[in-house]
Amino acid sequence: MVAMTRAGSVLIADDDRAIRDSLERALRLEGYRVRTAADGVEALAEVHGEPVDLLVLDVMMPGVDGLGVCRVLRKEGDRTPILMLTARVETSDRVAGLDAGADDYLPKPFELEELLARLRALLRRASPAAEEGAVEPLQVGDLRMDPGSRRVWRGGQEVELSKTEFDLLELLVRNAGIVLDHPTIYDRIWGYDFGPESKNLAVYISYLRRKLEPEGASTLIHTVRGVGYTVRPQETG
């Protein structure tokens, strides 16, 4: 297994005790400090009592489910990275998790190595960047990004993005006009190539488009079939 760059604390919330126990053992072996919760109410109480670095939430839990936990924390302004575990495989169900404010999702059943890779990526992105002074804003067409404050505007209207959405958009914007292939994006954002069958990237791209390209707005994120994605302003004329 890959060693962590630093210890992190994780809360695992799942009503399946077998999953909780197995994940707790695996993550402790990786050096994480682990707490567990059997439902959403308990998960919220744990986070309110003592914050953690990462949250792993099962979508389907009694009482307050994973989506509910996510919505409550985001409404409170809590930006702790959240990985959703879901037995649902439909894109609409996955988007519901992202819409609630989750940073990533992982369908059940999953490989432990993939879950660990997702957590490492979330932990890296959540770590404060090295203090290197002010970071210059980025702009493509009418899209403006401020990497320092992690804020985004399209046509003067601010757009709320999750950590993963922001990181993906920033990667594309920093390489504006260049087509980035799927393996490159997976490696840079998740630190792990989930293979050609994965729909993870496509879901995030579609979600970014929903936020950045509402009806009537010009296309910003372009698909190059069989290759990948690129950001460029819509050509005119």
Side-chain angles (χ1 to χ4, degrees):
M1 293 183 180
V2 181
M4 286 179 52
T5 55
R6 72 175 181 87
S9 57
V10 184
L11 175 65
I12 302 167
D14 196 307
D15 61 327
D16 187 322
R17 183 172 181 176
I19 292 178
R20 286 201 315 274
D21 290 348
S22 63
L23 285 181
E24 181 178 8
R25 286 193 298 270
L27 294 182
R28 287 190 186 281
L29 286 174
E30 290 291 310
Y32 288 91
R33 302 184 304 279
V34 184
R35 287 148 54 196
T36 63
D39 56 45
V41 173
E42 188 177 340
L44 286 170
E46 285 283 339
V47 174
H48 289 155
E50 182 181 351
V52 291
D53 296 317
L54 298 166
L55 285 164
V56 178
L57 302 177
D58 182 38
V59 170
M60 300 294 291
M61 290 189 291
V64 179
D65 63 11
L67 297 179
V69 172
C70 193
R71 290 191 187 99
V72 168
L73 293 177
R74 295 306 188 233
K75 187 174 181 180
E76 293 174 347
D78 190 321
R79 304 309 302 170
T80 303
I82 294 176
L83 172 66
M84 287 286 195
L85 301 180
T86 175
R88 299 169 173 172
V89 297
E90 296 299 323
T91 298
S92 59
D93 293 319
R94 296 173 182 179
V95 167
L98 303 178
D99 209 12
D103 298 286
D104 202 357
Y105 68 87
L106 188 59
K108 295 179 179 180
F110 52 83
E111 295 291 335
L112 177 60
E113 287 299 327
E114 182 173 350
L115 180 137
L116 294 174
R118 303 280 185 104
L119 294 184
R120 287 193 296 269
L122 287 174
L123 193 58
R124 283 196 303 272
R125 295 200 300 275
S127 300
E131 299 290 339
E132 298 177 350
V135 181
E136 289 296 321
L138 305 172
Q139 183 139 3
V140 176
D142 64 350
L143 175 82
R144 184 165 65 91
M145 301 186 72
D146 183 346
S149 63
R150 297 183 68 84
R151 297 173 69 186
V152 178
W153 296 264
R154 178 91 200 266
Q157 181 72 35
E158 186 165 4
V159 181
E160 293 290 335
L161 299 180
S162 71
K163 287 184 177 66
T164 300
E165 291 163 357
F166 187 95
D167 292 339
L168 176 55
L169 181 62
E170 183 181 7
L171 175 64
L172 292 170
V173 168
R174 287 189 182 278
N175 293 276
I178 299 172
V179 180
L180 298 180
D181 61 24
H182 293 197
T184 296
I185 297 174
Y186 275 126
D187 181 66
R188 294 286 296 277
I189 300 301
W190 285 276
Y192 187 88
D193 185 353
F194 301 115
E197 300 303 315
S198 175
K199 291 182 170 48
N200 202 48
L201 178 55
V203 168
Y204 275 95
I205 290 292
S206 67
Y207 203 58
L208 276 176
R209 284 172 169 156
R210 281 179 54 193
K211 291 186 173 183
L212 296 169
E213 301 172 4
E215 187 175 353
S218 60
T219 301
L220 182 71
I221 302 173
H222 301 262
T223 301
V224 179
R225 293 190 180 280
V227 183
Y229 302 96
T230 185
V231 159
R232 64 174 182 268
Q234 183 70 47
E235 295 85 353
T236 58

